[in-house]
PDB file of all heavy atoms in Angstrom:
ATOM      1  N   THR A  83     135.165  99.306  67.989  1.00 78.00           N
ATOM      2  CA  THR A  83     135.290  97.885  68.319  1.00 78.00           C
ATOM      3  C   THR A  83     136.641  97.356  67.875  1.00 78.00           C
ATOM      4  O   THR A  83     137.242  96.541  68.564  1.00 78.00           O
ATOM      5  CB  THR A  83     134.183  97.068  67.628  1.00 78.00           C
ATOM      6  OG1 THR A  83     134.179  97.374  66.239  1.00 78.00           O
ATOM      7  CG2 THR A  83     132.824  97.369  68.217  1.00 78.00           C
ATOM      8  N   GLU A  84     137.109  97.842  66.734  1.00 72.00           N
ATOM      9  CA  GLU A  84     138.421  97.423  66.254  1.00 72.00           C
ATOM     10  C   GLU A  84     139.508  97.829  67.232  1.00 72.00           C
ATOM     11  O   GLU A  84     140.430  97.075  67.521  1.00 72.00           O
ATOM     12  CB  GLU A  84     138.686  98.060  64.899  1.00 72.00           C
ATOM     13  CG  GLU A  84     140.034  97.715  64.309  1.00 72.00           C
ATOM     14  CD  GLU A  84     140.254  98.486  63.024  1.00 72.00           C
ATOM     15  OE1 GLU A  84     139.496  98.246  62.068  1.00 72.00           O
ATOM     16  OE2 GLU A  84     141.149  99.315  62.972  1.00 72.00           O
ATOM     17  N   ALA A  85     139.370  99.047  67.767  1.00 68.00           N
ATOM     18  CA  ALA A  85     140.364  99.547  68.713  1.00 68.00           C
ATOM     19  C   ALA A  85     140.337  98.756  70.013  1.00 68.00           C
ATOM     20  O   ALA A  85     141.375  98.435  70.586  1.00 68.00           O
ATOM     21  CB  ALA A  85     140.123 101.021  68.994  1.00 68.00           C
ATOM     22  N   SER A  86     139.112  98.454  70.484  1.00 68.00           N
ATOM     23  CA  SER A  86     139.007  97.712  71.741  1.00 68.00           C
ATOM     24  C   SER A  86     139.340  96.244  71.527  1.00 68.00           C
ATOM     25  O   SER A  86     139.688  95.537  72.461  1.00 68.00           O
ATOM     26  CB  SER A  86     137.604  97.858  72.327  1.00 68.00           C
ATOM     27  OG  SER A  86     136.673  97.192  71.510  1.00 68.00           O
ATOM     28  N   GLU A  87     139.225  95.774  70.262  1.00 69.00           N
ATOM     29  CA  GLU A  87     139.609  94.411  69.936  1.00 69.00           C
ATOM     30  C   GLU A  87     141.102  94.215  70.172  1.00 69.00           C
ATOM     31  O   GLU A  87     141.537  93.160  70.619  1.00 69.00           O
ATOM     32  CB  GLU A  87     139.288  94.121  68.482  1.00 69.00           C
ATOM     33  CG  GLU A  87     138.404  92.919  68.279  1.00 69.00           C
ATOM     34  CD  GLU A  87     137.984  92.794  66.837  1.00 69.00           C
ATOM     35  OE1 GLU A  87     138.867  92.639  65.998  1.00 69.00           O
ATOM     36  OE2 GLU A  87     136.780  92.863  66.556  1.00 69.00           O
ATOM     37  N   GLY A  88     141.858  95.254  69.837  1.00 66.00           N
ATOM     38  CA  GLY A  88     143.295  95.195  70.042  1.00 66.00           C
ATOM     39  C   GLY A  88     143.651  94.987  71.503  1.00 66.00           C
ATOM     40  O   GLY A  88     144.718  94.471  71.830  1.00 66.00           O
ATOM     41  N   LEU A  89     142.733  95.378  72.389  1.00 67.00           N
ATOM     42  CA  LEU A  89     142.991  95.242  73.823  1.00 67.00           C
ATOM     43  C   LEU A  89     142.636  93.853  74.338  1.00 67.00           C
ATOM     44  O   LEU A  89     143.082  93.452  75.399  1.00 67.00           O
ATOM     45  CB  LEU A  89     142.177  96.288  74.591  1.00 67.00           C
ATOM     46  CG  LEU A  89     142.480  97.737  74.260  1.00 67.00           C
ATOM     47  CD1 LEU A  89     141.593  98.665  75.087  1.00 67.00           C
ATOM     48  CD2 LEU A  89     143.946  98.042  74.521  1.00 67.00           C
ATOM     49  N   LEU A  90     141.804  93.156  73.553  1.00 72.00           N
ATOM     50  CA  LEU A  90     141.357  91.846  74.000  1.00 72.00           C
ATOM     51  C   LEU A  90     142.487  90.826  73.927  1.00 72.00           C
ATOM     52  O   LEU A  90     143.262  90.798  72.994  1.00 72.00           O
ATOM     53  CB  LEU A  90     140.192  91.381  73.134  1.00 72.00           C
ATOM     54  CG  LEU A  90     138.947  90.975  73.916  1.00 72.00           C
ATOM     55  CD1 LEU A  90     138.429  92.190  74.684  1.00 72.00           C
ATOM     56  CD2 LEU A  90     137.891  90.447  72.985  1.00 72.00           C
ATOM     57  N   MET A  91     142.547  89.987  74.928  1.00 73.00           N
ATOM     58  CA  MET A  91     143.573  88.962  74.948  1.00 73.00           C
ATOM     59  C   MET A  91     142.964  87.645  75.423  1.00 73.00           C
ATOM     60  O   MET A  91     142.572  87.537  76.575  1.00 73.00           O
ATOM     61  CB  MET A  91     144.693  89.391  75.895  1.00 73.00           C
ATOM     62  CG  MET A  91     145.961  88.603  75.676  1.00 73.00           C
ATOM     63  SD  MET A  91     147.272  89.112  76.781  1.00 73.00           S
ATOM     64  CE  MET A  91     147.113  90.877  76.802  1.00 73.00           C
ATOM     65  N   PRO A  92     142.890  86.655  74.530  1.00 77.00           N
ATOM     66  CA  PRO A  92     142.340  85.358  74.930  1.00 77.00           C
ATOM     67  C   PRO A  92     143.164  84.751  76.057  1.00 77.00           C
ATOM     68  O   PRO A  92     144.392  84.725  75.980  1.00 77.00           O
ATOM     69  CB  PRO A  92     142.470  84.513  73.655  1.00 77.00           C
ATOM     70  CG  PRO A  92     142.623  85.486  72.537  1.00 77.00           C
ATOM     71  CD  PRO A  92     143.304  86.666  73.132  1.00 77.00           C
ATOM     72  N   LEU A  93     142.489  84.280  77.082  1.00 79.00           N
ATOM     73  CA  LEU A  93     143.208  83.775  78.253  1.00 79.00           C
ATOM     74  C   LEU A  93     143.577  82.307  78.122  1.00 79.00           C
ATOM     75  O   LEU A  93     144.527  81.843  78.737  1.00 79.00           O
ATOM     76  CB  LEU A  93     142.368  83.987  79.518  1.00 79.00           C
ATOM     77  CG  LEU A  93     142.360  85.409  80.064  1.00 79.00           C
ATOM     78  CD1 LEU A  93     141.488  85.492  81.298  1.00 79.00           C
ATOM     79  CD2 LEU A  93     143.769  85.852  80.383  1.00 79.00           C
TER      80      LEU A  93
END
Side-chain angles (χ1 to χ4, degrees):
Chain A
T83 52
E84 179 185 296
S86 68
E87 236 173 61
L89 299 180
L90 234 62
M91 197 180 319
L93 283 179

